[in-house]
Amino acid sequence: MHHLSRRAILMGGLGVSAAALSGCSSTAVSGFGSKAHGPVPLATPSPGQRVMVKTLVAKPTTLDLGGPTVATWAYGDTVPGPLIRATAGDFLRLTVDNQLPADTTIHWHGIRIHNPSDGVPGVTQDPVAPGSLFTYQFTVPDPGTYFFHPHVGVQLDRALYAPLVIDDPREPGGYDAEWVVVLDDWVDGTGRTPDDVLKQLVGMGGSASPKGGMGGMGGMGGMGGMGGAQPWGDAGDVTYPYFLLNGKVPAAPDVLTAKPGQRIRLRIINAASDTVFTVAVGGHQMTVTHSDGYAVVPQEVGAFYIGMGERYDVVVTLKDGVFPVVAKPFGKSSGGQALGLIRTSSGTAPGPDVSPAELAGPVLIGSRLQPAASSRLPARAPDATVQLTLEGSMQPYLWGMNGAPFGKNTPLTVKAGQRLRINVMNMTMMAHPLHMHGHTFALPSGLRKDTVLLAPMEQLAIDVDADNAGDWMIHCHNIYHAESGMMIGLHYVS
Ligand code: C2O
Ligand code: CU
């Protein structure tokens, strides 16, 4: 059966009609956030707290992706934007200088942040208008690998993203060097902007390929049969001309130079808007040490999946030679991949299409990692339980949560101090990376995540301790799904 009709039928069968999801006739949920907000004062540093101050200039620019030159919007003149690095406990005062021709904000993805600096327009702040500034002020309480991006429209699918690394002053280390690896799917400035892509998806009912083909898996997705070899069903809607690793196409890869025998920590961030990747380092096993910033029981793998918004830290002991770091898009008919190189000697580099054997072996599903003892929530029964269903269809292109698109659905509520259990049910034939702002939830195994990839029809109970008051977002990190309504509020009530 054709994958689009499969989804449509599924929705019908579950009694979620397109009309129920559609709410209004306008295409997208404007601004990726819509309600008015009350004034909540920004945080200020405590006496003696170390303060880091930086300004990010969001502006139109032209970037060289290693061959293709594209007009886009970026933080400065690079993609990814400048790395921000601080130590757990620091206070950050980060100003966005909006030189874009559109409103923007910055969301600090994964940070257990003070609510007024969360960057959601219409919820935690007014949008930052063209020509104006906004200063985010917050403590970074937890170490880990994070990133930041706008929370307006589909701006994430431009070059507006950059890594945010929070160091742990108590961490033993156990590695010699580090490489931050940011993955992306790229369309902006290749004849279409991400706004054009969204318009195509909404207007044409799900096809955002320039030739009118399908971006998904065709008939191959299914429900994750084949021994889990194809677990994500229809993984993406958009056909991308390029996939980038640290802002470069495979023809001109970013290179890490190191010495044989060195232990390298890779901090891998999926900043893509519509692409799940399979990641491998040719000729090497990786030891996964952290997921979304939190320590896991170290696990040796040849390859792993990474959904949009997820981060994994791995340690690799380097051999002698030149090795590809490959991120292969899952379920994209267009082909292509993202590539970087690790060079420890003067060998010949593999070509842009290199396909390491590790990609064909077992691939770790990150949500099956086990938490390190230090990452577990204290044992406790939930005080309250709520349901969260993920729904949608490609034709028409409508996505929602709990029966309606964002703005029409009812926010989840929690009382401060409660442990909330959220029973999540993915009622679609696509995988969705579910992201929660301001908190890191626990899977039934105890694994801590702020973004978890749900397989088609997967059910998952996630527990969250309500220890960070405010109005928060829970949404799919496929930015086209989120902007089309696959988002819901999480509100603290008294
Ligand atoms: Cu990285 Cu609300 O998103
Ligand atoms: Cu989604």
Side-chain angles (χ1 to χ4, degrees), residues 7 62 95 129 142 156 171 216 302 325 360 431 451 478:
R7 284 181 206 156
T62 299
T95 299
D142 308 305
L156 166 64
E171 190 182 70
V325 178
T451 310
N478 179 312

Side-chain angles (χ1 to χ4, degrees), residues 32 107 109 120 147 149 151 156 309 435 437 473 475 477 479 487:
F32 200 174
H107 170 62
H109 179 114
V120 181
F147 73 122
H149 60 79
H151 224 276
L156 166 64
H435 174 54
H437 287 204
M473 291 294 119
H475 62 89
H477 221 276
I479 214 64
M487 183 157 61

Side-chain angles (χ1 to χ4, degrees), residues 223-261:
M223 294 193 47
M226 297 158 67
Q230 300 289 350
W232 307 124
D234 303 321
D237 306 332
V238 183
T239 301
Y240 285 91
Y242 304 114
F243 298 96
L244 310 182
L245 187 153
N246 291 345
K248 296 296 174 200
V249 296
D254 195 20
V255 182
L256 173 75
T257 304
K259 296 194 179 67

Side-chain angles (χ1 to χ4, degrees), residues 52-379:
M52 171 189 280
V53 178
K54 269 200 167 58
T55 295
L56 294 148
V57 180
K59 58 170 204 159
T61 187
T62 299
L63 297 177
D64 178 2
L65 306 178
T69 295
V70 290
T72 186
W73 298 353
Y75 296 124
D77 292 297
T78 63
V79 62
L83 166 72
I84 295 182
R85 183 154 213 150
T87 298
D90 286 356
F91 190 88
L92 274 49
R93 192 174 271 147
L94 302 174
T95 299
V96 58
D97 174 352
N98 185 8
Q99 298 182 10
L100 301 171
D103 289 351
T104 197
T105 63
I106 300 181
H107 170 62
W108 313 91
H109 179 114
I111 301 287
R112 194 154 52 92
I113 203 166
H114 185 233
N115 191 245
S117 286
D118 196 42
V120 181
V123 176
T124 66
Q125 67 172 106
D126 290 326
V128 185
S132 59
L133 307 171
F134 185 86
T135 300
Y136 296 90
Q137 305 192 165
F138 56 98
T139 296
V140 283
D142 308 305
T145 303
Y146 305 94
F147 73 122
F148 56 93
H149 60 79
H151 224 276
V152 171
V154 290
Q155 291 180 7
L156 166 64
D157 210 11
R158 302 197 187 234
L160 294 167
Y161 62 83
L164 171 59
V165 173
I166 308 300
D167 289 308
D168 184 351
R170 301 157 311 172
E171 190 182 70
Y175 52 93
D176 303 302
E178 191 189 275
W179 196 22
V180 178
V181 169
V182 189
L183 307 174
D184 191 18
D185 45 17
W186 190 273
V187 65
D188 197 25
T190 67
R192 296 185 298 165
T193 66
D195 293 301
D196 296 333
V197 170
L198 179 65
K199 264 188 223 122
Q200 276 180 291
L201 285 167
V202 173
M204 292 160 53
S207 167
S209 132
K211 54 186 189 305
M214 300 305 164
M217 281 289 290
M220 290 179 54
M223 294 193 47
M226 297 158 67
Q230 300 289 350
W232 307 124
D234 303 321
D237 306 332
V238 183
T239 301
Y240 285 91
Y242 304 114
F243 298 96
L244 310 182
L245 187 153
N246 291 345
K248 296 296 174 200
V249 296
D254 195 20
V255 182
L256 173 75
T257 304
K259 296 194 179 67
Q262 279 190 324
R263 285 164 57 80
I264 306 295
R265 178 181 193 163
L266 303 181
R267 295 178 180 268
I268 302 167
I269 300 165
N270 186 352
S273 289
D274 182 66
T275 305
V276 175
F277 291 99
T278 311
V279 178
V281 180
H284 291 76
Q285 288 289 109
M286 300 175 276
T287 304
V288 183
T289 61
H290 296 76
S291 159
D292 296 353
Y294 280 76
V296 300
V297 175
Q299 165 114 27
E300 287 259 302
V301 299
F304 63 90
Y305 296 109
I306 184 167
M308 301 80 91
E310 285 191 293
R311 293 89 59 210
Y312 290 98
D313 293 15
V314 307
V315 174
V316 179
T317 303
L318 297 179
K319 297 180 181 165
D320 194 342
V322 189
F323 304 99
V325 178
V326 174
K328 192 173 167 47
F330 181 89
K332 295 272 179 174
S333 52
S334 56
Q337 60 184 11
L339 177 73
L341 295 177
I342 300 177
R343 176 180 283 284
T344 64
S345 69
S346 58
T348 310
D353 297 325
V354 59
S355 187
E358 288 77 8
L359 288 175
V363 183
L364 173 79
I365 293 175
S367 57
R368 298 191 182 155
L369 290 162
Q370 294 298 312
S374 60
S375 303
R376 285 181 179 275
L377 290 177

